Amino acid sequence: MNKLRLVTVTGSRTNTLFHMLKHYAHLVDEMCIIVYEWEGVSTYDAVKQIVDKFTNAKIVHREIAEKFNWEKVTELYNKAKLEHPNDWWIISDDDEFHSYSKPLYQILMDCETNGWNIVRGGFIDRIGENGLFSEIKEDINIFEQFPMAGFFRYPMSGANPNKICLMKGSVELTSGQHYAKIDGHTTWRWQGWNHPLIAPIDKYNVQVHHFKWDSTARQRIKDVANIQKDYAYSEEYRIMYRQLAKCRFQIDVNDIDYIFEYCPTANYENYKNWNKLFKKIISI
């Protein structure tokens, strides 16, 4: 089987990067890191210090562009994958941690056997105990630091929770890495549910544990909202900021609409409501 690589784009925030690379290091042949900077923000040296701790990780590109241009991020992902179009790639932002429905090697073998090029997933939002936006520490397992797993961003702001997680390098991602584009068509809703190039989602799917919601989130969300750019989805960030301000940046983990569970590990089986949640995600 061809190599399995990971690609991630890291920018102004690096406090999840060590945890993220540690999460994937034993799963992949190579981890490819793209450093995305803009005027007044340079994180290359900090990123390099983290990357150098992993023998199978390397910085493959340094990009300077407009801040918070998520369309540019997708462009960088697509360009990096095309360096090895026939290999398998894990696509993961630096705050996204995958848990797989089956052992990863089994998923890839089944995909090769059946001609599937894509495996889909969806977000599980991670928050600290009692719904707090905790400070990330490098020496404690990040799942233990953010043990509450639920689904609050979409109910609050309408942000798309779909993700393309595993794919052949030749497949094109759409903005936000939410869908793939195949023969000019986006794999959105019914166009992706039974697509012959997508592994059957009832058996092959990925939980994307999202560690966006730490002590730095308040300022980051406000900054993205304030630039008022479509490519940054500033309007969604503005809505999210207002909703979080209403609850004083403490999520109600007892709200049944947020489907919270206590899950202090990365085990796929721990989140009992996943099948119910994933059916909802793919319908969005």
Side-chain angles (χ1 to χ4, degrees), residues 210-237:
H210 201 195
F211 291 88
K212 186 183 188 77
W213 316 106
D214 72 324
S215 59
T216 68
R218 179 195 294 242
Q219 189 61 49
R220 286 188 289 107
I221 295 167
K222 185 177 182 180
D223 289 345
V224 177
N226 284 344
I227 68 168
Q228 300 181 34
K229 297 291 185 180
D230 289 342
Y231 58 65
Y233 300 98
S234 292
E235 179 60 18
E236 184 270 322
Y237 275 76

Side-chain angles (χ1 to χ4, degrees), residues 182-218:
I182 304 172
D183 296 328
H185 297 285
T186 298
T187 56
W188 174 72
R189 277 192 168 176
W190 60 269
Q191 295 182 83
W193 289 342
N194 297 302
H195 197 286
L197 292 181
I198 299 177
I201 55 179
D202 57 334
K203 294 182 179 179
Y204 304 90
N205 56 73
V206 183
Q207 297 172 353
V208 182
H209 295 266
H210 201 195
F211 291 88
K212 186 183 188 77
W213 316 106
D214 72 324
S215 59
T216 68
R218 179 195 294 242

Side-chain angles (χ1 to χ4, degrees), residues 119-121 162-164 179 187 192-193 198 201 205-206 278 282:
V119 181
R120 294 181 59 181
N162 286 274
K163 296 295 286 190
I164 299 294
Y179 305 104
T187 56
W193 289 342
I198 299 177
I201 55 179
N205 56 73
V206 183
F278 192 50
I282 62 173

Side-chain angles (χ1 to χ4, degrees), residues 41-144:
V41 172
S42 178
T43 56
Y44 183 89
D45 291 342
V47 171
K48 189 176 186 304
Q49 286 184 1
I50 296 169
V51 170
D52 286 348
K53 296 178 181 180
F54 299 88
T55 58
N56 61 339
K58 63 180 182 180
I59 295 174
V60 296
H61 183 65
R62 186 179 189 177
E63 181 77 14
I64 300 176
E66 309 89 355
K67 64 181 179 179
F68 308 130
N69 186 338
W70 310 138
E71 294 175 0
K72 170 62 72 173
V73 169
T74 301
E75 178 185 316
L76 293 170
Y77 278 129
N78 281 323
K79 183 177 180 180
K81 293 188 298 85
L82 283 176
E83 291 292 322
H84 301 280
N86 297 317
D87 285 351
W88 282 98
W89 291 82
I90 291 174
I91 310 299
S92 178
D93 288 347
D94 60 6
D95 57 6
E96 297 174 358
F97 294 60
H98 292 178
S99 292
Y100 303 101
S101 59
K102 297 177 183 290
L104 184 53
Y105 72 88
Q106 182 181 340
I107 292 176
L108 297 179
M109 289 295 292
D110 289 352
C111 284
E112 290 282 0
T113 299
N114 293 281
W116 304 324
N117 289 344
I118 302 165
V119 181
R120 294 181 59 181
F123 276 134
I124 294 177
D125 297 313
R126 284 282 182 162
I127 198 75
E129 289 197 47
N130 301 315
L132 294 174
F133 289 65
S134 304
E135 181 181 355
I136 294 175
K137 296 177 173 58
E138 189 173 291
D139 59 343
I140 302 174
N141 184 294
I142 197 168
F143 285 84
E144 295 176 5

